Amino acid sequence: MSKSRPKASKEVKVIEGKDEKNVYDYVSLKELPNFAELNQQVTKLVDSSSWWDRHGVDWMILFLSFGLVFVALFLMKSSNIQTVALGVFVLGCCHSTIAIKTAHLVQHGALCSSKALGTFMVYFVSDLCGSFSGDLGYDIHIKVHHPHTNIIGLGDSSTWKVPFVPSYLYMFVVPLFLPVVTIPIVLKDIWGKWKSLLTYLILMPLGLTINLYLLMNISGFSFWGAVLCTLTYRAVLAIPYIHVNIFQHIGLAMYSPKSRPKRIYQMSTGVLNLPRNPFLDYTFGHAIVSCHIEHHLFPKLSDNMCLKIKPLVTKFIKENGLPYYEDTYMNRMWMFIEQYNELMVNAPPISHFVGIQ
């Protein structure tokens, strides 16, 4: 296996052959497991779960985050610099929970069963609260990334790469500028999609106006102080946000659009879970951090339900001889620093899994 891939379950036996543009992995499986069996187990568990497990836990986290926004605003009113810094940090965490965790859930229809409420929430948490177009998020994430996970030229995570930037700058400095470049990038990408553009140009300035008003009238900032505070708190979790997004796909198997494997194999070989993290689990969500494989197999489930089905998915994948990739945050971070050119600059090799295609 490529040295950038973590070890999979012991049941998987892989013999590697590699040339400049291709990786040939022979996997000793005679046939792929039937995804319908896993789907049946998961459906039974979901159907027997309460509304609280399916949606309530994640709604509670969202409401708690909105409550903590006002705690942060009052903390930043203090004349003590440490208290102000704490307020900025808390506000940054709340922003991540609302604009990343919740926005991700509502894009998948995983926060609620009501389509109307789900649509409202997409624009509320993305365009209004997060200054990111919900329509663009749907196009990028739902229509491309999920169905074409690790398919070269489609969902290969290449949009995260900035090959002309050195490794340490990319890993630890560039992410801090995400709040500055987000709006120009969104405008560029939705230009010509007039309905989406109009929606964004109404909701995004409205959201920023409310944000600046609260910072000026509760926390006591001047206008430019409120602008600087906004850029700062929105950058609080920008570094781990970039890290998590590249750690969980790049460096794993990448397939040609002409020879993609079946979905169960595509997801088990192209997705990686990070360990549970009591901080990132609630600012980014289980589906993005510790249950990413489960999320890619069952994208319409909430963060809490992804965590609940994790034992079923882990058992099924490992018992059927498929890889179930897991690695620590620090291992992945050092790997990306040491192998930056291979992973983030050069084109990825195409994986060919011989014997079960």
Side-chain angles (χ1 to χ4, degrees):
M1 247 186 295
S2 172
K3 62 182 178 180
S4 59
R5 295 187 214 169
K7 292 181 179 179
S9 53
K10 293 180 181 178
E11 292 84 354
V12 182
K13 297 178 181 178
V14 179
I15 301 172
E16 182 191 271
K18 186 175 181 180
D19 60 35
E20 198 172 281
K21 296 183 179 180
N22 298 276
V23 174
Y24 298 92
D25 287 349
Y26 180 83
V27 181
S28 59
L29 288 176
K30 293 181 179 179
E31 60 182 1
L32 287 174
N34 187 356
F35 177 72
E37 294 178 15
L38 176 60
N39 187 54
Q40 187 177 21
Q41 295 176 36
V42 170
T43 300
K44 183 178 179 180
L45 179 60
V46 172
D47 290 344
S48 65
S49 299
S50 65
W51 177 87
W52 178 255
D53 281 338
R54 286 183 280 112
H55 303 297
V57 171
D58 291 289
W59 276 107
M60 179 196 68
I61 293 169
L62 176 61
F63 288 137
L64 180 61
S65 296
F66 275 115
L68 287 173
V69 164
F70 290 93
V71 173
L73 290 170
F74 281 104
L75 285 173
M76 291 187 294
K77 192 175 183 179
S78 172
S79 58
N80 183 281
I81 188 65
Q82 288 89 354
T83 304
V84 174
L86 176 62
V88 172
F89 179 76
V90 172
L91 191 55
C93 294
C94 293
H95 175 75
S96 180
T97 302
I98 295 165
I100 296 176
K101 177 190 184 310
T102 305
H104 181 235
L105 289 179
V106 295
Q107 284 289 359
H108 285 283
L111 187 66
C112 57
S113 54
S114 168
K115 188 173 182 180
L117 178 58
T119 300
F120 167 79
M121 289 299 294
V122 167
Y123 294 112
F124 178 71
V125 298
S126 293
D127 297 66
L128 187 76
C129 297
S131 301
F132 191 87
S133 168
D135 290 337
L136 179 61
Y138 183 86
D139 289 342
I140 294 172
H141 191 73
I142 306 300
K143 293 172 71 173
V144 177
H145 175 66
H146 268 266
H148 306 294
T149 301
N150 286 33
I151 303 300
I152 293 175
L154 294 168
D156 59 4
S157 299
S158 59
T159 53
W160 295 105
K161 298 182 179 183
V162 189
F164 58 86
V165 177
S167 60
Y168 280 94
L169 282 179
Y170 177 87
M171 297 292 286
F172 303 109
V173 178
V174 168
L176 300 176
F177 291 90
L178 274 179
V180 177
V181 301
T182 294
I183 292 174
I185 289 175
V186 170
L187 290 173
K188 177 183 75 69
D189 287 347
I190 63 174
W191 189 260
K193 301 175 182 178
W194 305 120
K195 182 181 177 183
S196 298
L197 182 62
L198 179 62
T199 302
Y200 185 66
L201 288 178
I202 292 172
L203 294 178
M204 179 270 293
L206 176 61
L208 287 177
T209 300
I210 294 170
N211 171 76
L212 295 175
Y213 176 85
L214 292 174
L215 288 170
M216 293 168 67
N217 287 274
I218 295 180
S219 301
F221 285 104
S222 65
F223 173 78
W224 289 112
V227 170
L228 180 60
C229 179
T230 299
L231 295 176
T232 303
Y233 82 70
R234 292 190 175 191
V236 163
L237 293 180
I239 291 175
Y241 174 69
I242 291 293
H243 288 180
V244 168
N245 275 283
I246 63 174
F247 291 173
Q248 295 184 311
H249 294 286
I250 296 175
L252 302 177
M254 294 284 174
Y255 300 99
S256 164
K258 296 180 180 179
S259 59
R260 66 170 72 201
K262 290 184 178 180
R263 185 166 176 268
I264 181 71
Y265 203 80
Q266 176 188 351
M267 301 309 172
S268 69
T269 57
V271 186
L272 174 142
N273 282 348
L274 295 171
R276 288 290 303 273
N277 183 303
F279 181 62
L280 297 182
D281 280 349
Y282 298 102
T283 50
F284 294 162
H286 301 302
I288 293 179
V289 181
S290 60
C291 301
H292 204 51
I293 297 170
E294 290 73 14
H295 168 64
H296 268 264
L297 289 170
F298 300 96
K300 292 188 179 295
L301 296 184
S302 67
D303 282 323
N304 188 62
M305 281 307 303
C306 282
L307 186 63
K308 194 171 180 179
I309 69 165
K310 185 181 176 74
L312 285 178
V313 175
T314 306
K315 184 173 183 287
F316 179 86
I317 290 178
K318 290 184 176 181
E319 284 186 349
N320 283 278
L322 292 176
Y324 187 89
Y325 291 132
E326 298 176 292
D327 204 357
T328 68
Y329 188 102
M330 294 303 293
N331 280 350
R332 299 301 279 179
M333 185 183 74
W334 286 114
M335 184 198 79
F336 270 77
I337 292 172
E338 292 169 359
Q339 302 176 39
Y340 184 77
N341 285 340
E342 177 187 338
L343 296 170
M344 301 298 292
V345 177
N346 301 332
I350 300 172
S351 291
H352 303 274
F353 283 79
V354 182
I356 60 171
Q357 290 284 45

